[in-house]
């Protein structure tokens, strides 16, 4: 799930007790960056729906403004790029809103 994102960076010794996956990725500009992923949080179902709604709204806002970096942040945090919002995928929304940068992402 995409609700297990973290905030800020912790010291290396604090990561030893957690299940952390570290990946190297290359961005659109050819820069290499390190992506750290932790296990998802255990969030109560009634709160989880509100969080999903907020992140879905933020994704649509980013697409509407063609903010590629912000949409990439959401997707890098684990948000599913194939999820449907009101019967359309994020790509379909990007095409409809003529968000060329987000379409390429």
């Amino acid at each position: 799930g995409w609700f297990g994102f973290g905030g800020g960076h912790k010291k290396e010794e604090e990561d030893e007790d957690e299940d952390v996956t570290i990946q190297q990725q290359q961005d659109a500009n050819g820069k290499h960056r390190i992506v750290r992923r932790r296990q998802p949080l255990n969030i109560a179902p009634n709160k989880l729906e509100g969080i999903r709604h907020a992140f879905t709204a933020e994704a649509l806002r980013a697409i509407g403004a063609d903010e590629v970096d912000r949409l990439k942040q959401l997707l890098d945090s684990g948000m599913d790029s194939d999820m449907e919002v009101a019967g359309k995928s994020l790509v379909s929304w990007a095409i409809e809103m003529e968000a060329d940068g987000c379409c390429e992402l």
Side-chain angles (χ1 to χ4, degrees):
W2 54 272
F3 49 86
F5 54 91
H9 296 286
K10 292 184 178 182
K11 296 178 184 174
E12 282 297 318
E13 61 269 8
E14 292 179 27
D15 289 338
E16 291 177 6
D17 352 9
E18 298 182 39
D19 189 12
V20 177
T21 304
I22 299 175
Q23 301 173 332
Q24 281 197 354
Q25 294 180 347
Q26 190 171 2
D27 66 13
N29 298 324
K31 285 185 169 180
H32 289 292
R33 49 189 212 131
I34 295 175
V35 177
R36 309 170 103 207
R37 298 191 189 273
R38 290 188 167 77
Q39 289 295 321
L41 301 173
N42 187 12
I43 299 174
N46 59 342
K47 292 185 180 185
L48 185 58
E49 189 58 34
I51 292 170
R52 281 190 184 126
H53 177 75
F55 276 81
T56 301
E58 177 62 9
L60 290 177
R61 188 206 62 76
I63 290 169
D66 202 15
E67 292 181 7
V68 177
D69 290 337
R70 180 61 178 141
L71 184 59
K72 184 160 178 38
Q73 286 176 337
L74 294 168
L75 296 173
D76 285 348
S77 74
M79 186 176 201
D80 185 5
S81 61
D82 296 326
M83 71 181 295
E84 285 195 3
V85 181
K88 295 181 186 177
S89 68
L90 295 178
V91 173
S92 296
W93 280 110
I95 292 168
E96 183 172 318
M97 293 185 198
E98 299 177 1
D100 297 330
C102 291
C103 286
E104 293 175 11
L105 183 63

